[in-house]
Amino acid sequence: QQQVKQSPQSLIVQKGGISIINCAYENTAFDYFPWYQQFPGKGPALLIAIRPDVSEKKEGRFTISFNKSAKQFSLHIMDSQPGDSATYFCAAVGGGADGLTFGKGTHLIIQP
Amino acid sequence: NAGVMQNPRHLVRRRGQEARLRCSPMKGHSHVYWYRQLPEEGLKFMVYLQKENIIDESGMPKERFSAEFPKEGPSILRIQQVVRGDSAAYFCASSPRQASNTGELFFGEGSRLTVL
């Protein structure tokens, strides 16, 4: 499975602030980039996703920015809330792999 | 519509014993994926199955691990002669079509294996 590099490993943001998580990939054959959110003791759940022909996608407070030339994409959480505290995984689809290739995750804590 | 069901949620085994983890996919889903999650390591792909067929087992250790998805019943991930390094959370995910086409997987809540 090809690698997707995710940073930072952990992140602490004040309530109301912007949380930013970054991912980078090597395989240009990846053709879909979802983000998953995982709460403690639960399985990951799809949060938002983007295709490489779009530079930005916004759903509520969550935005994905995609830079195809740099092979990087990032998740922005605006007006971060304590309920957003979770582990976030970026992923990539395609590139010859059958499943999703996940980053190592970012443990996000939003302080009240 | 029930989600992906995994059991047991927690399993404790002694070294050398066998662990069997079960996964019932969402209704209408015939594609099942197993992932292993270790702290600080993210989700590692293990195996992809369709009914009665193993499609891709490139992420499975060569020994002691096996998976099946029979025509009737849940998918099973089997770990023989467990060692402490097998301690992890094992997640099953399902999809109505191959994930490389849909881009989305529906995950269960995981089975947490502890090897003493």
Side-chain angles (χ1 to χ4, degrees):
Chain A
Q1 294 275 319
Q2 297 91 341
Q3 192 174 19
V4 175
K5 295 182 179 179
Q6 183 172 348
S7 63
Q9 186 174 351
S10 61
L11 179 64
I12 299 174
V13 175
Q14 295 295 317
K15 179 182 175 182
I18 303 173
S19 303
I20 302 174
I21 304 171
N22 301 298
C23 285
Y25 63 97
E26 291 295 325
N27 189 339
T28 55
F30 286 139
D31 56 12
Y32 192 64
F33 300 88
W35 285 87
Y36 280 75
Q37 180 188 55
Q38 183 182 26
F39 292 106
K42 302 295 184 181
L46 180 66
L47 181 65
I48 186 173
I50 196 169
R51 295 204 179 274
D53 54 350
V54 176
S55 61
E56 184 176 283
K57 183 173 182 180
K58 184 176 181 180
E59 290 185 2
R61 295 184 294 108
F62 299 90
T63 300
I64 300 177
S65 296
F66 190 87
N67 185 331
K68 188 174 181 178
S69 61
K71 293 186 285 186
Q72 295 175 346
F73 58 109
S74 59
L75 176 69
H76 293 63
I77 306 175
M78 311 300 287
D79 187 27
S80 299
Q81 299 297 313
D84 296 331
S85 297
T87 300
Y88 292 82
F89 294 96
C90 62
V93 180
D98 286 305
L100 276 59
T101 302
F102 286 91
K104 290 190 174 184
T106 296
H107 183 50
L108 174 65
I109 296 174
I110 307 300
Q111 290 187 332
Chain B
N1 188 11
V4 177
M5 304 299 291
Q6 288 189 251
N7 68 83
R9 292 293 312 278
H10 300 274
L11 182 63
V12 178
R13 286 287 179 266
R14 296 191 181 278
R15 281 179 296 168
Q17 292 184 318
E18 178 179 288
R20 283 194 180 217
L21 310 178
R22 286 174 287 278
C23 169
S24 295
M26 286 182 69
K27 186 177 181 180
H29 289 192
S30 60
H31 299 254
V32 167
Y33 298 77
W34 285 93
Y35 283 82
R36 177 162 62 178
Q37 184 175 36
L38 290 164
E40 319 301 336
E41 289 296 322
L43 293 153
K44 296 290 189 183
F45 168 80
M46 298 183 74
V47 62
Y48 162 42
L49 311 101
Q50 280 185 269
K51 280 289 188 181
E52 299 184 270
N53 291 304
I54 297 174
I55 308 301
D56 182 354
E57 55 182 349
S58 59
M60 289 272 275
K62 292 291 185 285
E63 298 177 348
R64 302 189 297 108
F65 285 72
S66 62
E68 62 178 14
F69 189 14
K71 185 176 181 180
E72 301 292 336
S75 175
I76 295 174
L77 180 67
R78 181 184 180 200
I79 311 172
Q80 295 178 290
Q81 298 175 315
V82 296
V83 301
R84 289 216 174 104
D86 296 334
S87 296
Y90 292 84
F91 286 93
C92 170
S94 73
S95 178
R97 294 177 295 282
Q98 187 172 355
S100 58
N101 293 328
T102 66
E104 181 175 7
L105 292 175
F106 297 82
F107 282 86
E109 295 196 332
S111 291
R112 283 153 183 82
L113 172 65
T114 301
V115 180
L116 301 178

